Amino acid sequence: YAATDENGNPLVEQLSASDDYLDFFPSIHFNYRPREDLVFRLAYTESINRPGYSQLAPRIEVSDESDLGPGGLIEAAGGNPDLDPFRARSIDAYAEYYLPHRGILSLGLFWKDIEDPIFTVTRNVPGEPFGFAPGTTVEFNQPLNGSDGEIQGFEINYSQQFGFLPEPFDGFGTSINYTQSEDSAQTPVNIDGVTRESGLSGASDETYNVSVFFEKYGVSSRLTYQYRSPWLNAIDIDDERLDRFW
């Protein structure tokens, strides 16, 4: 089925794209337990993160708020069938101390080297090649691959059920997690073939969450507060001052 106008002319153009790749993901894990309640872990892993279908689909969506008249600004977004998955090599080191009453206190260090990180890229292009009116400008958002990226940091986790309290308070417990990291990546090249250093898309420098829970008598309830510092949402390919953070 193809959409056509009253004269039988197609309203849309059918596009197709394909890709294939073969990967090998080695991993090495070491565990050392000097006592029953203490464990040290060290791991090297390689992994892949594939783009979502909406990122790959060869499509263009125009915002309802766009000004389609001559000289107007048109907001549009599209997929990228040439988008590569990003691959990561990771080293993780953790120490875990197990507490009575289903408790744990852990400290972890992590490092990831990332190839082909994915960015949401904004660029302004003339609207006429897209079939819009003369003088229009399209603010086009599309996922593109950068080159190299890296992230490293540490994580602290504490979880404890208060089994040392009398009933019914022994059903209460708490869980606290804190992560701090630093990240960097090379952005996709602009029309002049120039790239720049940026943060990784979607990565916060600081995150933490605090939970209080109750689990007893067949009842399970949890109250959680979560925080993450601002993160990079999209980059402007030509002007880093217009990068968008959330």
Side-chain angles (χ1 to χ4, degrees):
Y1 174 78
T4 58
D5 61 18
E6 64 273 10
N7 298 318
N9 299 314
L11 295 175
V12 295
E13 178 183 356
Q14 181 174 333
L15 300 176
S16 62
S18 63
D19 193 11
D20 62 83
Y21 39 84
L22 178 66
D23 289 277
F24 175 62
F25 304 113
S27 64
I28 303 175
H29 298 264
F30 296 98
N31 293 330
Y32 172 60
R33 185 187 294 267
R35 345 188 281 243
E36 278 299 311
D37 59 354
L38 183 62
V39 180
F40 296 97
R41 306 182 191 275
L42 179 65
Y44 170 83
T45 58
E46 296 188 11
S47 59
I48 188 173
N49 193 329
R50 298 178 178 86
Y53 177 77
S54 62
Q55 294 178 299
L56 292 168
R59 61 183 175 82
I60 297 177
E61 295 182 1
V62 177
S63 170
D64 294 336
E65 300 179 358
S66 299
D67 181 1
L68 301 179
L73 177 65
I74 300 166
E75 299 177 13
N80 179 5
D82 296 321
L83 199 63
D84 291 323
F86 73 76
R87 297 167 172 83
R89 294 186 295 272
S90 306
I91 297 176
D92 299 277
Y94 277 81
E96 300 173 351
Y97 176 54
Y98 293 92
L99 305 169
H101 309 290
R102 295 185 291 176
I104 183 173
L105 176 64
S106 67
L107 170 65
L109 306 175
F110 58 87
W111 172 85
K112 294 180 185 291
D113 177 61
I114 299 173
E115 296 180 5
D116 301 319
I118 297 174
F119 291 86
T120 298
V121 174
T122 300
R123 64 180 72 195
N124 290 338
V125 296
E128 290 185 70
F130 289 87
F132 298 114
T136 54
T137 299
V138 177
E139 185 182 83
F140 191 53
N141 291 275
Q142 184 184 40
L144 295 175
N145 289 109
S147 53
D148 300 322
E150 185 178 270
I151 183 170
Q152 61 275 326
F154 69 89
E155 177 183 31
I156 300 173
N157 178 66
Y158 169 69
S159 181
Q160 177 72 70
Q161 185 157 0
F162 303 145
F164 49 84
L165 295 178
E167 293 188 1
F169 304 105
D170 57 347
F172 285 98
T174 187
S175 177
I176 303 171
N177 176 275
Y178 176 82
T179 302
Q180 183 170 308
S181 62
E182 296 181 356
D183 58 273
S184 62
Q186 291 298 123
T187 66
V189 296
N190 62 16
I191 195 171
D192 298 319
V194 177
T195 184
R196 60 180 169 89
E197 186 173 290
S198 171
L200 284 168
S201 181
S204 295
D205 291 340
E206 186 180 38
T207 63
Y208 62 82
N209 62 75
V210 179
S211 297
V212 177
F213 60 85
F214 180 83
E215 295 181 354
K216 195 176 179 67
Y217 308 124
V219 175
S220 179
S221 61
R222 181 176 297 263
L223 179 64
T224 300
Y225 173 80
Q226 296 180 321
Y227 167 83
R228 62 181 299 188
S229 59
W231 67 94
L232 179 66
N233 174 253
I235 64 169
D236 188 288
I237 197 68
D238 298 311
D239 190 347
E240 63 180 291
R241 295 173 299 178
L242 299 178
D243 289 351
R244 186 167 67 238
F245 291 84
W246 283 1

